[in-house]
Amino acid sequence: MSTVVSRSGTGAPAELFFEDLTPGRTFDLGVTVVDGREMVDFARRFDPQWYHVDDELARRSHHGGLIASGFFTVSLFMRAYVDHVLSRAAGDASPGLEELRWLAPVRAGDRLATRLTVLGSKPSAARPGFGTVTLTASMDRLDSRGQPEREVLRTRFRGWFLMREPAQAG
């Protein structure tokens, strides 16, 4: 009889399961430095509004320069979430976002610290063997001393995570 290995979001063997994602648990998702070229390339492809792609117009506007697309910013969050949590977790698809807020402009060179907190968890009624976890995340722009200066993104969403098989429990 062969044992099925539970896989993380990146395909590696999973080490975090539904039971590990208890309310109040927090994860430091590290610091991301906003790459100006990536920011503009993303906007040109997916959100080509002038304040994301036209440096001259943006500089002469109330924005004072280019600002990142909010969808680029949430993509930076997603990468940090995959790198620090989903790469280790027996996660599955997400049943959706409950909140997504862009609270301040993001610019090239900004350093963004991201954290994730488990708000709640319960066995899934729709997916036997899985639990639904409600999570919240925020990104803060850091000042020159590395201290939080301003929250730039906040999101609340749910994810499905595999429960440990009886042989893996304990």
Side-chain angles (χ1 to χ4, degrees):
M1 178 155 107
S2 67
T3 302
V4 175
V5 175
S6 299
R7 297 286 175 193
S8 73
T10 58
E15 62 185 64
L16 287 172
F17 291 83
F18 168 76
E19 294 85 351
D20 301 311
L21 301 172
T22 55
R25 182 164 184 184
T26 61
F27 295 86
D28 177 351
L29 304 188
V31 174
T32 302
V33 178
V34 178
D35 181 292
R37 184 173 180 182
E38 285 181 354
M39 181 182 92
V40 173
D41 286 348
F42 179 97
R44 283 191 180 122
R45 179 153 187 220
F46 299 107
D47 192 359
Q49 298 179 76
W50 62 268
Y51 39 86
H52 299 320
V53 298
D54 190 319
D55 190 45
E56 181 59 30
L57 284 176
R59 190 173 28 259
R60 290 185 290 146
S61 76
H62 68 278
H63 297 293
L66 291 175
I67 59 172
S69 165
F71 291 100
F72 176 75
T73 304
V74 79
S75 295
L76 296 176
F77 156 72
M78 190 67 203
R79 182 57 196 241
Y81 179 43
V82 169
D83 287 350
H84 294 276
V85 177
L86 294 180
S87 64
R88 301 168 38 218
D92 202 66
S94 169
L97 286 170
E98 296 172 2
E99 176 186 27
L100 177 59
R101 298 184 55 88
W102 297 294
L103 302 166
V106 169
R107 300 175 189 280
D110 280 355
R111 295 176 35 223
L112 305 175
T114 306
R115 69 185 172 280
L116 178 79
T117 302
V118 177
L119 294 177
S121 61
K122 65 180 183 178
S124 174
R127 306 227 19 227
F130 285 82
T132 302
V133 178
T134 303
L135 302 144
T136 187
S138 65
M139 296 181 94
D140 291 323
R141 181 183 313 115
L142 301 178
D143 65 19
S144 61
R145 297 168 295 138
Q147 298 300 308
E149 176 184 83
R150 176 82 192 265
E151 187 178 24
V152 299
L153 177 129
R154 184 180 323 130
T155 185
R156 186 176 62 247
F157 59 100
R158 292 175 291 137
W160 282 317
F161 293 87
L162 185 64
M163 293 178 172
R164 278 193 170 80
E165 295 178 33
Q168 293 177 303

